[in-house]
Amino acid sequence: MKKYELLAASALALIYAVPATAQTADPAAATQDTQAVDTSDDIIVTATKREQTLQDVPISVAVTGAVTIEQAQIRDLIDLQSVVPSLKVSQFNAAGQTNFSIRGFGNGNGNDGIESSVGVFIDGVYRSRSAAALDDLPEIERVEVLRGPQSTLFGKNVSAGAINIVTKRPAFDWGGKAEITVGNYSLMNARATVTGPLTETLAFRLSGSVNERDGYFNNLTTGTDVNNRHRWSVRADVLWEPSSDLSVRIIGDYNLIKEVCCGVSSIRNGFPTQQIGALGFAISDTTRVFDRNVIFNTDPSNRIRGQGVSGQVDWNVGFAKLTSITAYRNQVNQSQQDIDFTGADIASNTTANEIKTFTQELRLASTGDGPFSWLVGGFYQDEKLDTGRDIRFGKDARAFVNALSQGLITGLEQLQSLTNPAIVPGRTYFQAGQGISDRYKMKQRSYSLFGQADFKVTDRLTLTGGIAYMNDRKAVVSNVVMNDPFSSLNLENIPGLGFLPFANVAGSPGSPFGCLLQKGFNPASTLGRTPVNLFGSSLGASLPGVGGPNGPGGGVGQPFNACPASLGGVNPFALNGLQFFYGDSPVHGPVNFPNANESGILTGDKVTYAARVAYDLDFVNVYASYSTGWKAGAYNLSSDSRPPSNGVGRSAAPEEVTVYEAGLKAKFRGGFFNLAVFKQEIKGFQSNAFTGLGYSLVNAGKESVKGFEIDAAYRPAPWLSLTGAATYLDPKFDSFARAPCVTYDPRCARSTTTGLRPPFRDLTGTRPAGIPKWSVSASATLSHDITDGVNAYLRGEYDYVSPTQLTDTTPPALSTFDSNNVNASLGVSFTNIQLDVMVWGRNLTNDNALISTFPTVAQQFPEPESYSGYPNQPRTYGVTLRKSF
């Protein structure tokens, strides 16, 4: 903690060293921002790539200004969802595994081949992966959340919506801000920005932040805090304005995240996890999920390094304004995690990727005052992705699978060793270091051409039309190497077993041979030899009977239990469930591509369009719109990637979005009220379900959602400001016949003939998981002038999310949660010396909920399987001291 104390002391010294008589850089701007938050009259947005007031822009957009960001203690995009109910941001197993969704639609986390359906833009620069948008927010002017497809103007991967972050530009008057925040869990957050002129035409802004905090999880195995914060960032911003018609802005940034993250709690210990406990290893107590104690034999680690440079040129050429935004970004994301979530050393996962992205946008917007206005432009992206992961068995893996199979793994080795001396009992399968290595390289080139025109038919009636052409090409090379000899084994045809005579050890009904006879096996069917599928599910077709009662073990030198009771048609000795990698693949191994049947190239293009009509009734603006969106096809860059002939998972077709929307925006003395009603449909939704070790990437036939959004603010008195927002969503899978199967669904029961589980289930007509029916937020801010130059405010917030099944791959009884968060802040501003002191708290009632749930890695066999989840952040509180000059 000495390091943190030194940082805190340095930041405090900086704050108090600022001259008390210094003047604000732009006091009028601060006043305008406060008023804008309350009334929306002066909120300027660029949602349509041109400046308009929030009330005039005829789309559903939520705007969060700088004042709200400071008073609500919003530090990154994860915090932003507390004031924008239609936006959901979830962080999963690593700091970089973060998912954005708007109106219930969004995907892309965990699988580098899938881009998000929600595009994030910072100062006009597209951030192609969610981790690239996670650095602490710099000096913010506003954050715009655009709901619904925005393809006709933003082009790239905005089929569900866009998050547009606008930072404060350099100023030609000296000014700045420094702040220090301390809180529980040893929080220390220091931020500073300074701006001013270098010449009469050149200004700069330099910003930096340090974010340190202990973790709110405790690893009971190692004693280490988990889910800590260790982040820092710097940003340099230079503005050149040689004339009123030309400006050039250059931004460079560097940020680093290096954290012990993320905490996972067991929510059901199935048979596999119980066996780990029976072996003497620590496992989680599922009755104390929200104690936030985790049990990992090693601590998880995350390192994300992001850096980039961008340049924006704005040039007024008379009849139009020309804008060019050029950017290059490089990001490295590394993580390591114990993936069995127990005290045993069973398996670990190491992942890493590097993404290099170049983007270029050009647009020309008319500047005339006539009834006709227009905008045309183009966007180009070139990206290179290197990604991979290593899953390795640990030293306790063999003991674990032996317990699951009741010694069958060693029995298999002994049988094989009779004909194959390379098989050594106890030293062949599930050895430490065995596993799989995934390596993928992807080159992506995409571009879009877009245009939009507005025509004022009258002073009140405006018609808008937009069109965009998008083109995308992905070229992928895979290099997946499996070093798991057990998964490589074809259990339906094990070489050598067919040469061994079928043996019946009298008095040992627990031997495989005696058990098979008891279940009705006919040795004549294999000419008196051991069946080659002795340990495979397909043998069940030859076993019409049921097993017998438990009794003494024996047979093949192993302590088999007596013939296990099982359904007719089920092989009690089947080991298919322990083939964690490619066990269900015809070749029992990866098929790398490009190959003779797969080019490794995915191309697509689409024309999207939008049409709107807006009518101004003075105090109310009403509008109706029809728009379409598109997101390009995706590759599954995980171990579950399969050739098309296998039916699941190599790639997914594009998403096509259609939205019908109508809304009204009313403004009145002291406030505003905005309403949007919509029906949104996605054909080919790219479902990316985590199934235990990889991702099942398939297209849903059609998913739709009907709903409405409300945003309102009212200032009934000069000392009281009220805000409220609500989102109602009614989603449905209109067609989804190929959803991945899960063990808890009766539709996925094992066949009594083959013993195998079907690969798909039909979710048509059901409600998609992860989409709450209601999301509501409200705030109240009391302000009071204590004395001349001393102002105080008290802000309270309430955020509610209705009970929601979090994921389709986890039983509803385990994964259904609501959320009730209460946040508050109390601040005092000394305006004469421009000093603010704020006491704040988030999740003050310590509401407990899970963010997401999933099948525990490699613990699906035998059933019942285990499940895990991510608990939310507990109560946090602190004090912020902020000095402006």
Side-chain angles (χ1 to χ4, degrees):
M1 287 302 300
K2 289 185 177 180
K3 176 179 66 173
Y4 304 154
E5 292 168 358
L6 179 60
L7 287 169
S10 301
L12 286 169
L14 173 63
I15 290 174
Y16 282 109
V18 175
T21 58
Q23 298 300 308
T24 182
D26 190 356
T31 303
Q32 180 184 10
D33 191 8
T34 303
Q35 293 173 345
V37 170
D38 294 331
T39 68
S40 88
D41 289 342
D42 299 313
I43 298 180
I44 303 299
V45 299
T46 53
T48 57
K49 295 296 181 77
R50 61 172 74 238
E51 292 188 351
Q52 291 178 277
T53 67
L54 177 62
Q55 294 306 101
D56 289 336
V57 65
I59 63 175
S60 180
V61 54
V63 181
T64 304
V67 171
T68 299
I69 289 172
E70 290 182 351
Q71 293 183 353
Q73 195 65 12
I74 295 172
R75 286 296 175 256
D76 55 29
L77 290 179
I78 296 177
D79 296 332
L80 185 64
Q81 61 186 324
S82 65
V83 293
V84 183
S86 55
L87 172 68
K88 299 301 175 190
V89 186
S90 303
Q91 179 178 281
F92 300 122
N93 64 301
Q97 300 296 350
T98 302
N99 191 56
F100 303 108
S101 65
I102 294 177
R103 292 178 174 173
F105 291 134
N107 51 20
N109 66 289
N111 195 335
D112 287 333
I114 306 175
E115 298 166 285
S116 176
S117 301
V118 176
V120 178
F121 299 81
I122 300 180
D123 290 321
V125 177
Y126 173 61
R127 301 293 180 96
S128 65
R129 296 297 188 278
S130 59
L134 285 182
D135 52 317
D136 289 350
L137 296 178
E139 190 72 358
I140 294 295
E141 182 174 306
R142 66 184 180 276
V143 179
E144 305 168 1
V145 177
L146 288 66
R147 298 174 284 216
Q150 308 296 324
S151 298
T152 53
L153 283 182
F154 286 85
K156 183 66 178 175
N157 293 334
V158 286
S159 56
I163 301 171
N164 187 34
I165 299 172
V166 181
T167 67
K168 292 185 177 179
R169 293 159 61 90
F172 285 91
D173 294 317
W174 284 102
K177 183 185 299 182
E179 70 174 54
I180 176 72
T181 297
V182 294
N184 62 333
Y185 298 104
S186 301
L187 170 68
M188 199 294 297
N189 187 321
R191 304 159 63 89
T193 183
V194 61
T195 186
L198 296 175
T199 69
E200 291 184 355
T201 60
L202 192 65
F204 80 98
R205 180 180 293 275
L206 183 64
S207 305
S209 68
V210 176
N211 190 345
E212 302 278 358
R213 190 199 67 205
D214 291 344
Y216 53 83
F217 284 87
N218 180 36
N219 187 350
L220 297 180
T221 306
T222 65
T224 304
D225 291 336
V226 179
N227 278 57
N228 68 330
R229 280 285 184 268
H230 179 77
R231 305 180 178 187
W232 65 270
S233 64
V234 292
R235 193 172 193 263
D237 191 347
V238 178
L239 176 66
W240 180 51
E241 289 187 340
S243 70
S244 59
D245 292 329
L246 177 63
S247 71
V248 179
R249 186 182 184 189
I250 307 295
I251 302 172
D253 68 271
Y254 181 94
N255 62 84
L256 181 68
I257 298 176
K258 193 175 180 180
E259 299 174 348
V260 181
C261 185
C262 296
V264 177
S265 294
S266 296
I267 57 177
R268 188 175 83 180
N269 289 334
F271 181 80
T273 308
Q274 294 171 20
Q275 289 299 106
I276 296 174
L279 291 172
F281 298 104
I283 60 175
S284 296
D285 182 352
T286 57
T287 66
R288 304 173 69 89
V289 171
F290 296 106
D291 285 0
R292 294 178 176 82
N293 291 322
V294 298
I295 298 177
F296 305 149
N297 61 282
T298 58
D299 293 317
S301 64
N302 288 257
R303 184 180 185 274
I304 302 175
R305 187 215 68 208
Q307 56 189 349
V309 61
S310 66
Q312 177 170 339
V313 178
D314 293 291
W315 183 24
N316 189 337
V317 295
F319 70 97
K321 179 181 178 182
L322 176 66
T323 298
S324 171
I325 303 175
T326 308
Y328 174 79
R329 299 203 61 80
N330 179 279
Q331 179 173 298
V332 175
N333 187 353
Q334 301 165 314
S335 66
Q336 192 278 333
Q337 190 174 40
D338 166 25
I339 55 175
D340 56 85
F341 312 132
T342 69
D345 182 14
I346 295 175
S348 63
N349 183 25
T350 301
T351 63
N353 66 37
E354 182 175 14
I355 305 173
K356 300 176 181 179
T357 308
F358 171 81
T359 57
Q360 173 65 57
E361 181 179 0
L362 282 171
R363 62 177 184 263
L364 191 65
S366 64
T367 56
D369 295 329
F372 183 73
S373 60
W374 49 268
L375 180 150
V376 295
F379 174 85
Y380 175 80
Q381 177 190 12
D382 186 278
E383 183 169 272
K384 296 180 180 179
L385 165 70
D386 289 312
T387 185
R389 72 169 184 174
D390 289 326
I391 295 182
R392 293 286 181 257
F393 296 134
K395 62 182 177 60
D396 301 320
R398 179 55 184 257
F400 170 58
V401 296
N402 261 339
L404 294 182
S405 68
Q406 302 181 63
L408 282 172
I409 294 295
T410 303
L412 166 62
E413 290 172 331
Q414 288 180 335
L415 285 175
Q416 285 186 282
S417 69
L418 298 177
T419 59
N420 184 359
I423 303 296
V424 181
R427 296 170 57 186
T428 300
Y429 300 130
F430 295 101
Q431 301 301 297
Q434 293 177 351
I436 193 169
S437 295
D438 296 352
R439 298 292 185 271
Y440 296 95
K441 292 180 179 292
M442 183 171 74
K443 293 183 179 180
Q444 179 178 353
R445 185 269 304 139
S446 60
Y447 66 89
S448 62
L449 302 172
F450 55 84
Q452 182 168 294
D454 298 319
F455 180 66
K456 284 193 172 184
V457 180
T458 68
D459 288 341
R460 295 181 180 272
L461 177 63
T462 302
L463 303 180
T464 301
I467 190 169
Y469 170 75
M470 286 172 286
N471 187 291
D472 186 270
R473 182 183 188 272
K474 295 180 175 72
V476 180
V477 175
S478 74
N479 181 23
V480 181
V481 178
M482 187 165 67
N483 182 29
D484 174 16
F486 184 73
S487 290
S488 301
L489 187 63
N490 183 0
L491 293 175
E492 309 306 327
N493 186 14
I494 300 176
L497 293 192
F499 293 101
L500 300 176
F502 185 86
N504 177 20
V505 182
S508 298
S511 74
F513 310 104
C515 182
L516 296 185
L517 290 173
Q518 182 178 334
K519 286 179 65 65
F521 179 75
N522 181 10
S525 65
T526 58
L527 302 177
R529 295 187 178 93
T530 299
V532 294
N533 57 348
L534 176 62
F535 297 97
S537 295
S538 65
L539 184 65
S542 303
L543 305 176
V546 297
N550 291 333
V556 205
Q558 284 301 304
F560 293 107
N561 286 337
C563 189
S566 62
L567 296 174
V570 175
N571 180 8
F573 305 116
L575 297 175
N576 304 70
L578 295 177
Q579 292 188 311
F580 300 128
F581 310 109
Y582 298 99
D584 58 350
S585 173
V587 297
H588 289 273
V591 178
N592 285 310
F593 63 103
N595 54 52
N597 299 313
E598 298 176 275
S599 67
I601 296 175
L602 198 63
T603 61
D605 62 348
K606 185 71 174 179
V607 174
T608 65
Y609 45 88
R612 287 194 298 268
V613 56
Y615 196 82
D616 184 358
L617 295 170
D618 289 333
F619 68 95
V620 176
N621 291 346
V622 295
Y623 69 92
S625 67
Y626 171 79
S627 58
T628 63
W630 185 76
K631 190 178 84 165
Y635 268 111
N636 187 355
L637 304 187
S638 81
S639 291
D640 274 7
S641 185
R642 299 288 195 271
S645 59
N646 208 62
V648 182
R650 180 73 92 196
S651 64
E655 294 180 351
E656 298 184 6
V657 186
T658 302
V659 177
Y660 303 87
E661 183 176 315
L664 63 85
K665 297 190 172 187
K667 57 183 178 180
F668 45 87
R669 183 179 179 84
F672 68 90
F673 177 86
N674 297 337
L675 169 67
V677 181
F678 56 86
K679 180 180 180 181
Q680 186 164 323
E681 300 173 346
I682 294 186
K683 293 182 179 179
F685 175 74
Q686 295 170 357
S687 174
N688 182 40
F690 181 74
T691 55
L693 273 173
Y695 294 87
S696 180
L697 177 61
V698 293
N699 288 102
K702 181 181 175 183
E703 181 179 348
S704 63
V705 61
K706 296 180 292 185
F708 63 83
E709 296 153 339
I710 295 173
D711 292 286
Y714 182 50
R715 177 181 280 181
W719 49 269
L720 175 62
S721 297
L722 305 174
T723 69
T727 298
Y728 171 82
L729 300 174
D730 181 19
K732 182 176 67 171
F733 281 127
D734 300 272
S735 63
F736 195 7
R738 292 166 60 86
C741 249
V742 293
T743 60
Y744 73 85
D745 193 327
R747 292 170 290 187
C748 297
R750 294 185 182 275
S751 168
T752 57
T753 302
T754 65
L756 298 177
R757 194 184 306 281
F760 303 112
R761 57 180 175 148
D762 190 350
L763 293 181
T764 301
T766 64
R767 182 186 182 95
I771 305 178
K773 178 180 289 187
W774 286 100
S775 300
V776 178
S777 68
S779 74
T781 303
L782 302 173
S783 58
H784 179 65
D785 292 335
I786 299 176
T787 63
D788 184 26
V790 181
N791 313 107
Y793 70 87
L794 174 64
R795 176 185 174 90
E797 301 172 0
Y798 175 66
D799 306 319
Y800 169 74
V801 176
S802 61
T804 308
Q805 182 184 353
L806 300 175
T807 57
D808 290 313
T809 57
T810 311
L814 295 176
S815 62
T816 300
F817 284 86
D818 62 357
S819 176
N820 293 269
N821 277 342
V822 176
N823 307 320
S825 58
L826 173 63
V828 178
S829 298
F830 302 90
T831 56
N832 292 334
I833 59 174
Q834 300 182 71
L835 181 67
D836 299 321
V837 181
M838 179 176 68
V839 180
W840 55 268
R842 297 183 67 87
N843 192 14
L844 288 175
T845 62
N846 213 25
D847 181 63
N848 289 321
L850 292 181
I851 299 171
S852 186
T853 57
F854 61 95
T856 306
V857 177
Q859 295 187 35
Q860 284 73 51
F861 175 85
E863 301 170 22
E865 69 177 299
S866 304
Y867 295 96
S868 299
Y870 303 101
N872 65 332
Q873 185 169 293
R875 179 191 299 116
T876 57
Y877 50 86
V879 178
T880 298
L881 186 63
R882 183 181 301 113
K883 180 72 172 71
S884 301
F885 60 95

